[in-house]
Amino acid sequence: MPLFQTIQFNETTKILIWEITESFDELYSKVTLKEKTQKRLDGMKSQMHQRAFLSVRMLIQEMGFTDKDLHYDEFGKPYFDCHNHISITHSYHFAAIIISHETVGIDMELQREKIQRIADKFTDYECRYLEPNSTEEYIKKLTVIWGAKEAIFKIRNEKGISFKDHINVNNFSLGETQTQASLHFDDLIKDFDVHYEEIKSDNFEGTFTLVYAFEK
């Protein structure tokens, strides 16, 4: 399938979402991979993971880049050799990237009831406003919080950061699309603008939450 959705956030920030409906062979035939990337692909045991990996290459091609332009640092954080920042996510049948002149992170998650069972693993500060009641709203809010913390972690990408202890997401409403968050780690304090929205497909069941964060 072609590009599923494009979000032009501002003049220097764009989000692209790919719905992964193609076979591995279809995707593989449309990309050119450098040797290092080919080895990573060959080492993946899950074909779904392989297809998501290739879909990301399709997305960067949509933005005028190639696999040769995409690199990873020692911690696995992707980057380009230019002024653009990039962050990558994939979840089930979706892959997404955000490219910006600003420092950004992105995450996409399927809304699932099971997130309630691990809520105490990644929430503490947020318990001040969360109401654990097994409702759809609670699940949606937990998914936004997890996505925000994942996006912020991708930005900082430092060993030892705890979602529960070091990243705080401010209270927010599902009727809006933005909140703030902060990272408190060692002597570092950083603030972030967080944006979130729901993504649905006619081809697959379930609702996904897309979250992206900008370092202030």
Side-chain angles (χ1 to χ4, degrees):
M1 178 175 177
L3 190 63
F4 178 77
Q5 186 175 350
T6 300
I7 301 168
Q8 185 74 53
F9 181 79
N10 57 31
E11 290 183 359
T12 62
T13 304
K14 185 179 284 190
I15 298 140
L16 285 77
I17 304 171
W18 193 276
E19 186 174 13
I20 310 166
T21 58
E22 304 90 344
S23 68
F24 171 86
D25 290 339
E26 287 178 289
L27 290 166
Y28 188 70
S29 68
K30 296 176 181 177
V31 298
T32 301
L33 305 179
K34 58 191 175 189
E35 184 179 354
K36 190 173 182 179
T37 305
Q38 182 67 55
K39 287 181 178 179
R40 282 190 65 188
L41 181 68
D42 293 341
M44 295 176 186
K45 296 179 180 179
S46 164
Q47 190 173 99
M48 189 67 240
H49 193 185
Q50 289 179 319
R51 290 164 66 204
F53 187 77
L54 292 173
S55 295
V56 168
R57 272 70 199 162
M58 296 293 290
L59 288 170
I60 65 171
Q61 286 180 180
E62 290 280 344
M63 289 293 293
F65 295 94
T66 70
D67 180 61
K68 290 183 179 180
D69 301 312
L70 183 64
H71 311 284
Y72 294 85
D73 68 15
E74 59 182 312
F75 303 108
K77 184 176 180 178
Y79 68 93
F80 290 129
D81 287 326
C82 64
H83 58 274
N84 284 298
H85 296 272
I86 181 172
S87 185
I88 294 168
T89 186
H90 48 80
S91 180
Y92 293 88
H93 299 284
F94 281 110
I97 63 171
I98 185 168
I99 294 180
S100 177
H101 289 185
E102 302 176 63
T103 306
V104 291
I106 192 170
D107 189 56
M108 194 169 184
E109 300 288 340
L110 175 65
Q111 295 173 10
R112 297 183 291 173
E113 290 185 1
K114 68 178 292 185
I115 197 171
Q116 299 171 94
R117 299 200 295 270
I118 62 168
D120 64 336
K121 304 293 185 184
F122 67 91
T123 60
D124 184 18
Y125 171 88
E126 298 77 20
C127 294
R128 302 176 189 185
Y129 60 82
L130 283 172
E131 298 179 5
N133 49 19
S134 298
T135 64
E136 184 178 358
E137 178 178 351
Y138 180 51
I139 294 168
K140 288 176 182 287
K141 281 199 165 188
L142 284 176
T143 309
V144 171
I145 291 166
W146 175 269
K149 296 190 178 195
E150 184 71 47
I152 289 167
F153 181 77
K154 288 179 179 179
I155 291 173
R156 298 306 308 184
N157 207 29
E158 295 179 42
K159 186 177 180 180
I161 292 176
S162 162
F163 282 19
K164 180 175 182 174
D165 300 328
H166 300 137
I167 305 175
N168 300 335
V169 179
N170 291 358
N171 195 5
F172 60 95
S173 166
L174 293 173
E176 299 176 353
T177 59
Q178 182 178 356
T179 187
Q180 282 75 46
S182 56
L183 171 68
H184 304 256
F185 183 61
D186 291 339
D187 296 327
L188 176 72
I189 299 177
K190 283 287 186 178
D191 295 318
F192 302 84
D193 287 323
V194 176
H195 302 263
Y196 51 92
E197 60 184 270
E198 292 188 343
I199 304 293
K200 295 183 179 180
S201 167
D202 294 332
N203 296 316
F204 303 105
E205 292 184 5
T207 302
F208 290 78
T209 298
L210 177 72
V211 187
Y212 43 102
F214 297 85
E215 183 177 315
K216 289 186 178 181

